[in-house]
Amino acid sequence: MQGEWAGVPVGPDVWETCRELIPERSVFAFLAEHREALFPAGMFADMYPSSNGRPSYPPQVLSTVVVLQVLNGLSDMEAVQELRCDLRWKAACGLGLLDGGFDSSLLTYFRRRLQHSRDPHRLFTAVSQVIEATGILRGRHRRALDSTVFQDAVATQDTVTQLVSAIRRVAREVPGGTETVTARCTGHDYLAGPGKPKIAWDDEKARAELIDALVTDALRVLAHLPEQNLGERAANAVGILALVAGQDVEPADDSDGSDGRWRIAHRTAANRVISTVDPEARHIHKTVHHQTDGFKGHLAIEPETGLFTAVALHPGSGTEHTEGTVALDLLADETGPLDVFGDTAYSSHTHRAALNTAGHQVFCKPAPLKPAVPGGFTLDDFHIDTAAGTVTCPAGHTIPLGDQAGQYLQRKAFFGELCTRCPLRDRCTRNKLGRILTIRPHHDQQAAARSQAAADPHWQAAYRRWRPPVERGVAWLVAHGNRRLRYYGALKNDTWLHHRAAALNLRRLINLGLAYTDGTWTIAPATS
């Protein structure tokens, strides 16, 4: 049952009695005046469909607390403590001086209702509707895109810890799992409690025997669980055990290859699960030399106002979650063609072609070409005529371009013996068979983009002017310790990211002069 305002505050109304103490044009003062207009009770009706039971706390108050919580990077307990003791929070939520607030668990229940509702991002949607009503983005046709890494809320687990944890979880969650683990597992006492097995960890042979025993136990559990229909938690437990039992191990080398022993694999599994506590967290390489564990957040902002127009959070690996792929989703709700600004992560030929097809003008920095020889010729030093199917090298040799072949419909040019006595060979290739060029689809568009980025003053000026502001948006998102996430799983953290962006947008709008007059949202900059 949806809660309603009690009508009379507990003790003196903080906003009425302490108005002079609340800074003007602050988020606190704005919410004190306009929280009902920003978050009307009707926008939460679908979250409370039942008319039975005890009324919940008014969702307008909970929404206001969530906005202030994510704006200041606080935990649930810290947010409730602020609500009890800080006059600004009480004023923003419409509480009386003696109002003790509520238990912090209520914020967890409220977020859970949001996450499983028809619109889990409704707070972000509400602020976006205010932005649209003010018309502040009208005529602003630029969007800057970027991504950043958010660190997960769990510790990365090694293979041994994951196997032990996954088997213990099956015993705990799956009906009949405890009996199966007790009867079939010999490598470790999984029911004794958490922690690693006690072995001589500096003994390589002991470690190898432990890995073999743990993997064997996992496979035995999976093979001998009772046949039954499993609920969501039990099915997830079985799925995680099957995953961790295979992602980091491989058959051990032996004389005949048939004794069924296992060892740590001499490779890293693609899309590797790094923790059984949060199976969606991943290893993320933001750069070649910088690895972080967690999730990747994506954002689109209007660079002149600094307002977030869209955000998203996904596991940090997988081709479906690359910057270029997510970019199309970030721009999906835009109503007209845009100037899209991004770094090299958004400039692949497929994503550039998709943005062009959608009618957008692309200002994404092309990835630099790598020469086959340091300081030598790159692809752009060759004259490539894809229509005629010919390639001319810097030395003037012209050869035909091969037909399309392979998964990516690439075309290749083999110079072969022409490179044998070529005076430019040292600057072109070290391949004994001569230079081989690989021409991919959309080569002409990519070559034109590189040429434009290198020689067009208008393109360069626009990129330098409108691309950097997105870095400021990233800095706002991760300020106050918010790079470290507080929740498990992509769904919860994506909801948090939308709340964070909504709160930052609201603060930005207030700084720009947001006002609510006669039922209309307007931007009225303060006069000096």
Side-chain angles (χ1 to χ4, degrees):
M1 180 184 295
Q2 180 170 329
E4 298 179 355
W5 290 102
V8 179
V10 181
D13 186 286
V14 174
W15 178 238
E16 293 299 330
T17 57
C18 303
R19 187 186 299 249
E20 295 79 8
L21 301 178
I22 311 298
E24 294 184 12
R25 287 192 174 274
S26 66
V27 176
F28 302 103
F30 180 87
L31 289 172
E33 288 278 9
H34 305 301
R35 65 179 173 275
E36 285 288 325
L38 181 62
F39 303 127
M43 70 178 283
F44 303 100
D46 65 292
M47 294 169 50
Y48 303 89
S50 175
S51 59
N52 300 321
R54 185 176 61 184
S56 69
Y57 215 77
Q60 302 95 308
V61 175
L62 297 175
S63 298
T64 302
V65 172
V66 166
V67 167
L68 297 176
Q69 176 189 15
V70 297
L71 195 59
N72 293 277
L74 303 179
S75 68
D76 289 351
M77 294 188 64
E78 291 169 336
V80 170
Q81 189 67 21
E82 292 291 337
L83 184 62
R84 290 172 179 168
C85 304
D86 194 316
L87 292 178
R88 299 172 300 172
W89 283 62
K90 287 182 178 292
C93 296
L95 302 186
L97 182 63
L98 304 180
D99 199 316
F102 48 81
D103 189 83
S104 60
S105 61
L106 192 56
L107 289 174
T108 301
Y109 297 141
F110 181 64
R111 286 194 302 269
R112 189 176 301 166
R113 283 182 180 271
L114 278 174
Q115 291 157 10
H116 296 285
S117 68
R118 59 175 175 77
D119 184 8
H121 307 144
R122 68 185 65 206
L123 302 189
F124 182 82
T125 301
V127 177
S128 297
Q129 290 172 346
V130 172
I131 294 173
E132 183 178 0
T134 63
I136 192 172
L137 297 185
R138 196 170 297 131
R140 302 183 192 274
H141 54 85
R142 304 180 185 93
R143 298 292 183 270
L145 310 177
D146 205 358
S147 65
T148 190
V149 174
F150 288 96
Q151 299 167 356
D152 58 16
V154 296
T156 301
Q157 298 173 329
D158 59 25
T159 303
V160 170
T161 303
Q162 288 199 56
L163 286 167
V164 173
S165 176
I167 293 175
R168 283 173 49 80
R169 185 173 179 182
V170 167
R172 183 174 62 250
E173 301 290 351
V174 179
T178 301
E179 294 76 7
T180 303
V181 171
T182 302
R184 300 290 178 178
C185 296
T186 59
H188 176 61
D189 185 359
Y190 300 96
L191 306 182
K196 287 187 175 182
K198 295 179 180 180
I199 66 167
W201 288 100
D202 57 350
D203 185 340
E204 183 177 353
K205 181 179 179 181
R207 295 198 307 270
E209 291 176 349
L210 175 63
I211 289 294
D212 177 53
L214 294 180
V215 176
T216 301
D217 283 351
L219 297 178
R220 286 173 179 170
V221 170
L222 292 171
H224 293 89
L225 283 173
E227 294 187 5
Q228 57 190 316
N229 294 324
L230 299 178
E232 181 180 358
R233 291 173 62 91
N236 287 339
V238 173
I240 290 173
L241 177 58
L243 183 61
V244 300
Q247 68 174 4
D248 293 337
V249 298
E250 62 186 7
D253 292 332
D254 53 75
S255 57
D256 59 6
S258 61
D259 63 358
R261 292 186 296 112
W262 300 91
R263 69 177 183 188
I264 295 292
H266 296 164
R267 45 90 178 140
T268 300
N271 208 26
R272 180 180 183 268
V273 171
I274 62 174
S275 171
T276 59
V277 179
D278 189 352
E280 293 184 292
R282 293 291 186 271
H283 292 311
I284 304 172
H285 285 275
K286 182 62 176 175
T287 66
V288 175
H289 304 289
H290 182 207
Q291 174 183 297
T292 305
D293 296 334
F295 298 84
K296 187 174 287 187
H298 304 264
L299 62 146
I301 73 166
E302 196 289 308
E304 194 168 359
T305 60
L307 293 170
F308 297 92
T309 58
V311 293
L313 183 140
H314 297 290
S317 61
T319 56
E320 70 276 17
H321 298 140
T322 63
E323 282 82 349
T325 302
V326 177
L328 299 175
D329 296 331
L330 295 176
L331 302 175
D333 293 334
E334 299 288 352
T335 57
L338 301 168
D339 293 347
V340 180
F341 295 84
D343 57 21
T344 56
Y346 300 89
S347 66
S348 71
H349 63 272
T350 54
H351 300 128
R352 184 182 291 274
L355 289 171
N356 285 328
T357 301
H360 305 307
Q361 186 172 357
V362 181
F363 289 82
C364 296
K365 188 176 181 180
L369 293 174
K370 296 181 179 180
V373 176
F377 299 122
T378 67
L379 195 67
D380 286 343
D381 292 313
F382 291 75
H383 178 70
I384 302 168
D385 190 336
T386 56
T390 60
V391 178
T392 302
C393 73
H397 303 297
T398 300
I399 63 170
L401 187 59
D403 295 332
Q404 292 181 340
Q407 179 182 359
Y408 302 104
L409 301 180
Q410 299 171 346
R411 305 172 71 182
K412 292 184 178 293
F414 301 87
F415 283 87
E417 295 181 356
L418 295 174
C419 297
T420 304
R421 295 181 176 82
C422 179
L424 302 180
R425 178 187 177 89
D426 292 341
R427 298 174 56 192
C428 190
T429 184
R430 292 175 178 171
N431 191 336
K432 295 180 179 179
L433 301 178
R435 184 66 183 264
I436 303 174
L437 290 187
T438 300
I439 310 302
R440 295 176 174 82
H442 306 290
H443 165 79
D444 293 338
Q445 293 92 324
Q446 289 292 85
R450 290 191 294 269
S451 175
Q452 183 181 40
D456 187 346
H458 168 72
W459 193 100
Q460 296 171 356
Y463 187 85
R464 286 195 298 266
R465 173 67 179 87
W466 302 114
R467 168 64 179 80
V470 74
E471 303 291 350
R472 178 180 59 186
V474 171
W476 286 344
L477 284 176
V478 302
H480 301 295
N482 281 292
R483 189 176 292 280
R484 171 72 68 178
L485 297 170
R486 297 181 180 273
Y487 310 109
Y488 299 158
L491 175 62
K492 293 180 180 179
N493 286 312
D494 182 57
T495 302
W496 168 85
L497 181 61
H498 280 82
H499 289 166
R500 174 79 174 158
L504 292 171
N505 274 350
L506 181 61
R507 186 180 67 181
R508 180 61 178 156
L509 286 170
I510 294 169
N511 291 336
L512 292 172
L514 181 63
Y516 186 68
T517 308
D518 298 329
T520 303
W521 296 103
T522 59
I523 296 293
T527 57
S528 57

